[in-house]
Structure formats: C-alpha cells, structure tokens
Amino acid sequence: GLLYVLQQLALLQSACHIIICPGSNSSLIALLKSVKMPSHITVYIAQSSHVSVAQVLSVSTLLITKSGSISVAEALAMQVPMILDASNNVLRWERYNHYFVCENKVGFSVKKYTQLPALVERVLSDNVLFNQMKTAMFQLQKNEAPDVIKRLVYQLIKSKSF
C-alpha cells in the first residue's frame, strides 16, 4: 500500500515535500527509500520513534491516510484536510469515517491509488476547494470531554433518572 502510494505521488507535476510515516518496519523503509522521485518532489521518512503525528500534522497541508478513527480524529483536531484510503476492504467500523469525511467536505476517499495524483493536484492547486475544506473543518462542533460530562451529569440530576 504505502509503497504504491509513494510511486503514485512521484507522478505529481507540482513541487511538494512528502512526509511518510511508515512506523518502524525497516524493510518497508528500505523499499520507500529506493523509490526514485523527480527533482521537484522531496521525501522525508519519519520513523515513529523520531517524530510524533502531531508534529507531522503541524507542518502538513494535506494528509493521505488509512481510515482509522485516531488518524481521522488527529487530522480533524489539527484541521488538516485528508484523503482516506479505501483501496482495500474498509473495515466495517471505519466505513463511517469515509462517510463523515466526504459528507462534511473535509476530505476525500479514494478506491484506487491511481486517483491520488490528480486528486492531490486538485486539492493543492484549487484555493477555493482547499479553503472550503479548511472552513468546513473549523465549523465542525468540537466537544470537550469535561464540558460534555458536566452537561450529562447535570441532565441526569435534573431528570432524577439515576
């Protein structure tokens, strides 16, 4: 998956810097390093022990990721538009993430890696689209656990249903 994603991103016409987070799989890292990239695209392979996801997202314009809830939540929290990988069978409990991201216009879902170059180019070059995605992320309701818990406890006490 990740190797093919990088190979597809090598087809981008626009200059960009790609940060890849492959974990600590040394054989995958070696394969990723072997991919020949055009001179207008630079790549940094961020091994999990060297950098946090928050650090990567803080310098990111766009996230291409698996559709796990933590990845999606982190991108939403950092307000980074995303492209979710739907190339293989999406796990049943992750399907909602694809729906949520697309329905709320904060990202896209791709079924084929070959869709990536055109979609990435579109997101990065269309300022109107990119700003709409950022605005949609900003407008999503963010629930803070202490506030939600306080409100729920108050409602329970008020209803005397405990």
Side-chain angles (χ1 to χ4, degrees), residues 57-73:
L57 289 175
S58 71
V59 297
S60 297
T61 305
L62 177 67
L63 174 67
I64 302 170
T65 185
K66 57 186 177 30
S67 54
S69 296
I70 293 174
S71 299
V72 171

Side-chain angles (χ1 to χ4, degrees), residues 56-138:
V56 171
L57 289 175
S58 71
V59 297
S60 297
T61 305
L62 177 67
L63 174 67
I64 302 170
T65 185
K66 57 186 177 30
S67 54
S69 296
I70 293 174
S71 299
V72 171
E74 286 177 318
L76 289 170
M78 299 292 287
Q79 296 186 357
V80 177
M82 65 196 95
I83 297 174
L84 299 183
D85 178 359
S87 61
N88 290 314
N89 291 333
V90 177
L91 298 172
R92 188 177 75 239
W93 53 87
E94 292 180 354
R95 288 181 192 147
Y96 180 73
N97 294 333
H98 290 264
Y99 171 80
F100 181 88
V101 163
C102 294
E103 185 69 20
N104 286 286
K105 297 178 177 29
V106 298
F108 297 92
S109 178
V110 294
K111 292 188 179 184
K112 296 180 181 176
Y113 293 138
T114 55
Q115 296 173 283
L116 283 174
L119 186 54
V120 169
E121 294 278 4
R122 179 177 164 220
V123 170
L124 297 180
S125 66
D126 185 339
N127 289 333
V128 172
L129 172 64
F130 185 78
N131 289 331
Q132 287 172 339
M133 294 168 74
K134 294 289 277 188
T135 299
M137 291 183 128
F138 182 76

